[in-house]
Each structure stands twice: as C-alpha cells, then as structure tokens.
Amino acid sequence: MTASPGTISRLLINWREGDQNALNELMPLVYQELHRLARNYVRRQGRGQTLQTTELINESYLRLADHKDMRWQNRSHFYAVAAQAMRRILIDRARAHFADKRGGHAVKVSLDEGATLADERAKELLALDEALIDLEKLDERKSRIVELRYFGGLSVDETAEALGVSPVTVMREWRSAKGWLLRALS
C-alpha cells in the first residue's frame, strides 16, 4: 500500500491534533518503509542478531504510538524519528545483553559461534553509539546524518529532506562524519 507524501503528512498532523483514527490509517501506509528501515538495522547487526525485523518494527511502533504530543512536521520527520527509535531499541538490547553477561538472568554454559558474533556486534554497536554521542556534542547535524544514513538506511535526498538541508550538505557532512567516526573508533 503506497500513499503520497502529502497524505502521510496530513495523517501525521491529524494524529498530532488528537485524531486517533489517523494513527490507524497511517500505520498501513508507512509499514513498508518502516520494514525497510528495520531490515537495514537488523542486516547491519549481522549474524548472531536475535532481534527479528518484525519485532523491531513492533517495538518501534509502540514507541512511536507513545509520541502523542510529538509535533510531526512531515513524513520525513516521522521516518527520522522512527529510525532513531529503532536505534535506541538496538542499543537498549545491546546494553541488556552485556548486563546479562555481568551476572544477569542466566548462566551461559557453552560458547558457540553465534554467541561470539552477537557479543562482537553488540560491542561494536555500543562503541558506535558512544562515538555518535561524542560526535553529537561536537556537531549535532553530523551525528543525525550518520544516524539517518547508517542506521536508518535513508538516501542522501531523504536525509536532506528530514534535516532541511541540501543533498550536497548531507554528502559533505556524511564524508566528514565517517572520517571522524573512523578515527574515534580506532
């Protein structure tokens, strides 16, 4: 099911103004794009990831539905917030994973390849999150560009629209942010 950007923006505004039916109409229209975002997140986690695409969509849907007072600007703003919600879910799961390893819920008896990969990917994700937090302190827009492009899988044009800047600015700051992150993670 596809809808024009104007239809999605109108439904977001109606939802913001208290029309709960607008949320019910909106979700089927944005599900495919949310699925694409979630699939990008899960794919980037690699083998050993225990969270499925549908689970990530459902958890992010619950978080988005709680944003009743959000001042939705347009569909790009919605997708940017959805991408951020998905990132937060993955970060929360990675933190919980390490909390479990430090004496949490269960004792692990065997160590298989999947668990090792999950540990490595969780460590990488947490390191990237910390680096993004540091980058955000220096340059919030560059941090948002990385979040939208890397985690959200948004195109240059979609990122530019979400941030209200030109595609050329996104490309320039994307290159700069990648270089900064590479140095920070080394």
Side-chain angles (χ1 to χ4, degrees):
M1 196 181 279
T2 59
S4 71
T7 300
I8 292 171
S9 295
R10 180 185 51 78
L11 287 170
L12 286 166
I13 291 168
N14 290 350
W15 177 30
R16 177 184 72 204
E17 293 175 353
D19 181 359
Q20 289 304 306
N21 288 329
L23 178 61
N24 295 333
E25 290 179 46
L26 176 68
M27 282 307 158
L29 299 177
V30 298
Y31 183 84
Q32 185 175 9
E33 182 64 15
L34 290 176
H35 191 273
R36 184 182 71 81
L37 290 172
R39 188 177 60 243
N40 284 336
Y41 271 108
V42 171
R43 186 183 71 234
R44 289 192 190 276
Q45 294 306 297
R47 292 179 27 207
Q49 171 60 261
T50 59
L51 185 67
Q52 300 297 316
T53 301
T54 304
E55 289 176 290
L56 184 54
I57 293 169
N58 292 341
E59 285 191 45
S60 62
Y61 170 82
L62 293 173
R63 290 189 184 195
L64 291 169
D66 282 343
H67 283 79
K68 295 176 183 89
D69 297 328
M70 175 64 82
R71 303 292 302 167
W72 300 111
Q73 298 166 13
N74 54 35
R75 81 184 241 302
S76 294
H77 180 233
F78 173 79
Y79 289 131
V81 171
Q84 189 173 47
M86 290 179 193
R87 173 181 168 216
R88 297 279 22 123
I89 290 164
L90 290 172
I91 296 299
D92 291 347
R93 286 180 65 99
R95 285 189 178 126
H97 173 77
F98 281 109
D100 287 347
K101 289 193 64 91
R102 290 188 303 266
H105 299 51
V107 175
K108 292 191 176 169
V109 177
S110 66
L111 181 64
D112 63 7
E113 181 182 344
T116 302
L117 289 172
D119 287 351
E120 290 170 10
R121 296 303 293 178
K123 285 178 189 175
E124 290 172 7
L125 182 62
L126 290 174
L128 178 58
D129 185 56
E130 288 176 19
L132 277 175
I133 290 168
D134 291 342
L135 177 59
E136 185 176 24
K137 291 174 187 172
L138 296 172
D139 191 324
E140 184 177 345
R141 186 166 64 193
K142 284 180 182 157
S143 177
R144 292 284 294 144
I145 288 171
V146 171
E147 182 176 64
L148 295 173
R149 298 269 299 132
Y150 180 80
F151 286 102
L154 270 61
S155 70
V156 170
D157 291 336
E158 291 168 329
T159 302
E161 183 181 347
L163 297 177
V165 298
S166 73
V168 172
T169 299
V170 169
M171 284 304 299
R172 182 181 61 247
E173 294 194 3
W174 170 240
R175 281 190 301 273
S176 175
K178 286 191 301 184
W180 188 94
L181 286 170
L182 183 62
R183 286 186 302 278
L185 294 170
S186 296

